[in-house]
């Protein structure tokens, strides 16, 4: 690996071990075996490097949303909804969870405008990608309207679930509870 890749891998390890706010440039250099100047040369700033590392980690964990055996439920079905949420919740149970780091970054958003801007762009692509997990298809075929509605609906559910699992995992809902809640919402909606 070159310095760029070494920095990125070192930053990922630091994020999981120390979080965003407590990771210093020196921590990244020590973890990556590089030098301080290489951070500025390759990424512009420590925060930009950490933001890139975080985005790559989230992209990597999204593969777990499909589960190890793939998703069996029919695209768009409540069964698939429950299955995907079960897979997502499984990633939240893991020690050193990326989701705990995500909550830190959400809370710090105002203090890190450069990082916030970078992550806001990544969030839109995350919204596009999560639509395909629940409804099938290819990301490039997801219309902007679906990103703005379905994508952000799922991301909003994920943010709430992430907060609950971070705050009190013992009382956080399981996938079946979420699916039953969705069933009740659907049943309660009246045609106008």
């Amino acid at each position: 690996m070159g310095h760029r890749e070494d920095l990125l891998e070192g930053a990922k390890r630091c994020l999981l071990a120390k979080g965003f706010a407590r990771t210093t440039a020196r921590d990244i250099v020590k973890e990556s075996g590089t030098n301080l100047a290489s951070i500025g040369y390759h990424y512009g700033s420590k925060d930009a490097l950490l933001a890139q590392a975080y985005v790559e980690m989230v992209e990597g964990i999204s593969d777990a949303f499909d589960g190890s055996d793939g998703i069996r439920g029919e695209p768009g079905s409540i069964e698939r909804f429950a299955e995907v949420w079960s897979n997502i919740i499984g990633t939240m149970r893991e020690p050193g969870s990326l989701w705990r780091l995500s909550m830190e970054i959400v809370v710090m958003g105002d203090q890190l405008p450069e990082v916030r801007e970078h992550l806001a762009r990544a969030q839109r692509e995350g919204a596009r990608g999560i639509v395909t997990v629940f409804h099938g298809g290819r990301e490039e075929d997801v219309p902007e309207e679906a990103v703005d509605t379905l994508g952000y609906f799922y991301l909003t559910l994920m943010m709430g679930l992430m907060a609950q699992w971070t705050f009190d995992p013992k009382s956080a809902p399981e996938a079946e509870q979420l699916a039953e809640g969705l069933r009740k919402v659907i049943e309660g909606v009246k045609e106008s």
Side-chain angles (χ1 to χ4, degrees):
M1 282 195 290
H3 275 205
R4 183 174 178 77
E5 295 80 19
D6 291 339
L7 285 166
L8 197 58
E9 292 307 311
K12 289 175 187 178
R13 289 188 296 274
C14 287
L15 281 171
L16 289 174
K18 298 183 94 173
F20 200 100
R22 292 184 314 276
T23 295
T24 66
R26 292 191 187 286
D27 292 331
I28 297 168
V29 167
K30 182 179 177 184
E31 189 66 35
S32 65
T34 61
N35 59 63
L36 282 172
S38 61
I39 293 174
Y41 178 76
H42 290 290
Y43 291 94
S45 72
K46 174 197 77 150
D47 287 349
L49 167 57
L50 289 174
Q52 182 62 41
Y54 173 73
V55 167
E56 283 199 13
M57 290 164 58
V58 170
E59 287 172 351
I61 203 167
S62 67
D63 294 340
F65 297 178
D66 292 337
S68 57
D69 299 329
I71 304 170
R72 293 176 297 280
E74 193 67 32
S77 68
I78 290 184
E79 291 74 26
R80 187 176 184 116
F81 179 90
E83 187 177 353
V84 171
W85 283 115
S86 179
N87 294 341
I88 291 171
I89 290 168
T91 68
M92 292 179 180
R93 286 190 168 96
E94 296 170 5
S97 169
L98 174 63
W99 304 113
R100 193 171 296 281
L101 171 64
S102 297
M103 290 307 298
E104 176 191 4
I105 291 171
V106 167
V107 170
M108 292 178 55
D110 290 342
Q111 300 166 27
L112 304 166
E114 176 186 330
V115 174
R116 185 180 195 168
E117 193 174 300
H118 185 76
L119 294 177
R121 286 190 302 274
Q123 180 176 311
R124 182 147 188 90
E125 290 313 305
R128 181 180 310 284
I130 204 165
V131 169
T132 63
V133 175
F134 285 99
H135 296 273
R138 301 177 322 154
E139 284 186 38
E140 56 268 21
D141 296 334
V142 176
E144 295 305 310
E145 183 272 336
V147 173
D148 292 336
T149 56
L150 286 171
Y152 283 118
F153 170 76
Y154 291 126
L155 286 183
T156 300
L157 283 176
M158 187 176 311
M159 291 296 292
L161 194 60
M162 201 179 353
Q164 290 176 323
W165 272 90
T166 300
F167 181 71
D168 185 14
K170 290 180 190 125
S171 68
E174 295 291 337
E176 283 304 318
Q177 290 171 289
L178 294 175
E180 185 57 28
L182 178 60
R183 281 186 192 94
K184 290 182 180 200
V185 166
I186 292 168
E187 290 167 5
V189 173
K190 297 184 183 191
E191 298 282 331
S192 23

